[in-house]
Amino acid sequence: MRVSRRSAVEPFYVMEVLKAAAQRQRSHGDVIMLCAGQPSTPGPGPALDAAVAATTTQVLGYTESTGILPLRHAIADHHRETTGVDVSPEDVVTFPGSSGAFTTLFLAAFDPGDTVAMTRPGYPAYRNSLQALGCEVLELDCGPQTRYQPTVEMLAALDEPPAGLIVASPANPTGTIIDPEELAALARWCEGHGTLLVSDEIYHGLSYGRPTASAWQTSREAVVVGSVSKFFSMTGWRVGWLLAPPALRRPLEVLTGNLNICPPTVSQYAALGALSPQARAELEGHRQRYAVTRDLLLRRLPEVGLRDYAPPDGAFYAWCDVGHLTDDSVAWCRDLLADCGVAITPGVDFDTREGHRRVRLSFAGSTAQVDEALDRMAASPLLQGR
Ligand SMILES: Cc1ncc(COP(=O)(O)O)c(C=O)c1O
């Protein structure tokens, strides 16, 4: 049986945690999930209404591959309102999730052998999909000194400019936000050195005080990535998008037409509902709940012995150092699940070097659940060495 060499990439280990958590749930029925990188709420009411209406009034066949025009209009309006940048529907290409956007963009922008830089720790699917496509991934070591974000100094120290740089702010797994001045400086550096800046802004809207900037506020040669998954609480609907510079639009359109045909049509209508002003209050309510849960988590993490974590400026993650408790975060997370039914994610997905000493906790669940998880962790022998 033929299997390609390029498919030999790392799995997304969080999926293994989800599998183990499902088993524990079947046997004990007591699992609290702090491992999933997704909201625990359904899509906003107007999105659900729009989906129902679409199933009764639309054919729901294929759409144009870049997405229906009203959706691209709504996405352009959303970016204009949130960033002040003049975005038009022609700038927008939609995909099946931002995941679909990333693969298509990597194909459209990079050739095998091209080097693309990203942060370590960082979102593993960037690394794994780039490698599957034959690109070289350059991981930039990013620590607390730079809020786990890249800087112009790091790029300037490279032997040659990379073909691409991916930044995420707020980031997964750290939740940190890149300072607007640094993002602007990176965008200028990339423009000046022929490096394609890919700015993953899918967690925009989920921040707790620090300002978030968009790459397009500085450079329209960058690519901005968006999604309905996080702020809009619609992971399973699979709608994401790119704001793309003119030279990339046609390659993206041609590639996505071949690879995906179009994003799921019912989801495009749902996304249109999610982007409507009527959905705002509900979505802002989610953000406020995350803020309350985040405060609780930050108050209680030291009590359970987790004192060293990245500043969770946004998204819904706490990236914690467990090096004083274990140097095998995979086994430690497995043992924690077996001991008290709390499922958290080992850091190995996100950091190929230090991940065995890190874990990621998601606070997207209910405040009461997170509180209960912390009670259980405080009582666990696995945290007694703290
Ligand atoms: C930083 C980051 N980018 C992209 C994605 C992919 O999201 P989606 O394909 O649901 O838009 C995720 C999902 O967790 C993420 O954390």
Side-chain angles (χ1 to χ4, degrees), residues 111-331:
D111 283 310
D114 279 351
T115 298
V116 181
M118 61 176 278
T119 62
R120 177 172 52 223
Y123 181 58
Y126 307 148
R127 186 185 63 233
N128 299 340
S129 0
L130 282 164
Q131 284 172 346
L133 295 173
C135 295
E136 297 292 326
V137 176
L138 184 94
E139 294 189 302
L140 303 169
D141 261 319
C142 296
Q145 306 77 7
T146 62
R147 295 188 103 73
Y148 298 85
Q149 293 285 357
T151 62
V152 165
E153 286 68 39
M154 291 178 197
L155 296 177
L158 300 176
D159 292 340
E160 53 183 284
L165 168 70
I166 308 176
V167 299
S169 170
N172 181 7
T174 60
T176 65
I177 288 175
I178 194 164
D179 280 333
E181 304 73 44
E182 190 65 55
L183 181 62
L186 284 167
R188 281 192 295 271
W189 190 93
C190 287
E191 208 175 286
H193 290 80
T195 297
L196 181 72
L197 174 63
V198 180
S199 180
D200 183 343
E201 303 181 5
I202 77 164
Y203 288 98
H204 272 213
L206 295 179
S207 53
Y208 311 103
R210 275 185 102 82
T212 49
S214 172
W216 266 30
Q217 286 165 326
T218 305
S219 169
R220 294 186 70 129
E221 287 186 19
V223 174
V224 169
V225 186
S227 172
V228 295
S229 288
K230 310 296 177 169
F231 173 71
F232 297 96
S233 191
M234 293 173 67
T235 47
W237 295 80
R238 312 309 300 133
V239 175
W241 61 87
L242 298 177
L243 306 186
L248 277 171
R249 284 183 209 152
R250 182 69 185 150
L252 286 168
E253 181 179 357
V254 169
L255 281 165
T256 195
N258 280 288
L259 294 170
N260 306 307
I261 300 191
C262 64
T265 305
V266 68
S267 302
Q268 294 190 51
Y269 285 99
L272 199 48
L275 285 153
S276 70
Q278 292 75 13
R280 267 306 134 79
E282 190 177 337
L283 296 171
E284 176 54 20
H286 295 330
R287 194 198 64 84
Q288 284 171 9
R289 183 170 47 76
Y290 300 143
V292 170
T293 315
R294 173 184 173 274
D295 286 349
L296 171 97
L297 191 70
L298 298 191
R299 222 174 31 249
R300 294 204 58 194
L301 276 178
E303 178 196 316
V304 302
L306 302 180
R307 286 177 198 84
D308 191 1
Y309 49 80
D313 305 322
F316 29 57
Y317 305 118
W319 177 244
C320 302
D321 192 336
V322 289
H324 55 306
L325 300 169
T326 183
D327 60 5
D328 184 351
S329 58
V330 174

